[in-house]
Amino acid sequence: MKENVSPAGTKWGISLTMTLVYAFGAALFYYLPGKGEPGVEVEFPQLLLHFIVLSFLFWIVLVPERKSIKTPDVLMLTVLTVPAGVFTALLFLFAAGGVGVHETYGAEYFIMALVPFLIAHKTVKGRISAVPFILAFVYWILAYIWGNGLW
C-alpha cells in the first residue's frame, strides 16, 4: 500500500504561506500597541519588512538540505514549528528576567530557532546531529545583527 504523501509543491506553498503569515502577524502585533503611543514612531511597512526578513531566515534550513529529497519536508516542519520556538524563547526570557538577567544578547533568537530546527531534523531524519545547532547559531547571529545593527 502506498503512503499518502503530499506533493512537494504543496509543501513549498505551505512553507511560503506560513512564513508570510508569521511576518504579517508579528508586524501587526508590534504595530497595533505602538500606533498611538507618544514618542514612538511605528510604521507598518517598515515592521513588515523587518519581520519578513526574520521569518525567511528560517529558510536557511535549505542550505544543508539543498540536494536532499527531504528538503520540502524539513522546510515545512521547520516553518510550522516556529510557534513552539517562539513560546520556548518567551519562557527563556521570563525565566532569565526572573533570576535578574535582563540582557540576553539575543540568546532568545538562538532558542527560538533551535526548537524548530531540532523538531524538523528529528522528525524527518530520525536523528539529531550538529546541523540544527549550527543553523540556530547562524540564525542567532544574522537575526541579532539585523535586529540591532541594520535595523
Side-chain angles (χ1 to χ4, degrees), residues 18-30 44 48 51-52 55:
M18 290 309 296
T19 301
L20 294 174
V21 165
Y22 293 152
F24 185 79
L28 202 58
F29 177 78
Y30 278 90
F44 186 75
L48 185 60
F51 286 110
I52 284 175
S55 295

Side-chain angles (χ1 to χ4, degrees), residues 5 15-16 35 50 53 66 70 79 95 109 111 135 137 149:
V5 180
S15 299
L16 177 62
K35 186 176 168 185
H50 178 71
V53 170
R66 62 186 165 264
K70 297 180 177 184
V79 170
Y109 289 124
I111 293 168
L135 289 173
F137 182 75

Side-chain angles (χ1 to χ4, degrees), residues 32-113:
L32 291 178
K35 186 176 168 185
E37 293 293 320
V40 177
E41 295 180 28
V42 179
E43 295 179 17
F44 186 75
Q46 186 179 17
L47 281 173
L48 185 60
L49 173 66
H50 178 71
F51 286 110
I52 284 175
V53 170
L54 289 177
S55 295
F56 273 105
L57 270 180
F58 281 102
W59 287 47
I60 63 171
V61 76
L62 297 177
V63 173
E65 296 293 322
R66 62 186 165 264
K67 294 185 180 180
S68 172
I69 195 165
K70 297 180 177 184
T71 301
D73 296 322
V74 172
L75 177 62
M76 186 180 74
L77 281 172
T78 300
V79 170
L80 289 177
T81 55
V82 166
V86 171
F87 180 73
T88 307
L90 287 173
L91 287 177
F92 167 75
L93 288 173
F94 290 142
V99 295
V101 177
H102 299 292
E103 179 57 52
T104 60
Y105 299 101
E108 64 274 9
Y109 289 124
F110 177 77
I111 293 168
M112 182 178 68

